[in-house]
Amino acid sequence: MPPDTSTGAVVQDRAGMIAGMTPTLDTETYIFCALPPSGTDQQIIVDALATFREAEGISLIMPLDKAISLDLPMTQPPMSRITLEVYSSLEGVGLTAAVSTALADKGIACNMVAALHHDHVFVPHDRANEAMDILRALQTSASR
């Protein structure tokens, strides 16, 4: 089945993905946490931005304020989400490597989450603006 391109053309080549990534900073603060062993409350899942089933249980990416209000155990630092607005192909090669390398070169941790339409980069909340500057510079250099 061909990809759904209703939201724009799917980009697969490395240079095109980087040049078109247009990083956008989400104003929400997020936290990576886990569903508590007794956490059968469906509201927790509904409130999550993303979930992933792992051997140890269900991992969540939650808005920080929701995680606090639900009294979820939090052991990780607050994160900011940067959405790469290019509609990158799931078969595209190099976007994740370019983004993570550019951030790593400046000592910024990142957690990449690929969804169908966009890639999302989670960075420490206190370094989000710096990460945005790095990603904009990367995009500009790829556009030349």
Side-chain angles (χ1 to χ4, degrees):
M1 172 185 287
D4 173 13
T5 58
S6 62
T7 60
V10 178
V11 181
Q12 187 166 351
D13 69 286
R14 181 181 187 273
M17 289 186 296
I18 296 167
M21 66 183 185
T22 312
T24 304
L25 182 61
D26 186 339
T27 59
E28 186 77 58
T29 302
Y30 294 93
I31 193 83
F32 282 65
C33 55
L35 190 62
S38 63
T40 57
D41 183 353
Q42 289 300 309
Q43 190 61 46
I44 295 173
I45 300 294
V46 169
D47 288 338
L49 173 67
T51 62
F52 198 90
R53 188 174 315 278
E54 298 182 283
E56 299 81 2
I58 298 176
S59 291
L60 309 164
I61 303 173
M62 294 284 294
L64 180 59
D65 61 339
K66 290 282 187 185
I68 291 169
S69 72
L70 293 166
D71 199 29
L72 293 175
M74 294 176 279
T75 60
Q76 300 299 313
M79 305 293 275
S80 289
R81 175 175 66 153
I82 299 171
T83 299
L84 306 180
E85 296 292 345
V86 66
Y87 187 178
S88 57
S89 170
L90 292 175
E91 295 178 323
V93 175
L95 178 62
T96 297
V99 166
S100 62
T101 298
L103 294 170
D105 286 349
K106 299 295 184 182
I108 299 177
C110 73
N111 292 275
M112 302 291 297
V113 175
L116 178 60
H117 294 105
H118 304 289
D119 292 277
H120 306 271
V121 186
F122 289 85
V123 299
H125 182 68
D126 62 350
R127 299 199 66 191
N129 290 324
E130 183 182 355
M132 283 292 294
D133 291 341
I134 292 165
L135 296 180
R136 285 186 194 116
L138 177 63
Q139 179 185 17
T140 299
S141 69
S143 298
R144 294 183 189 145

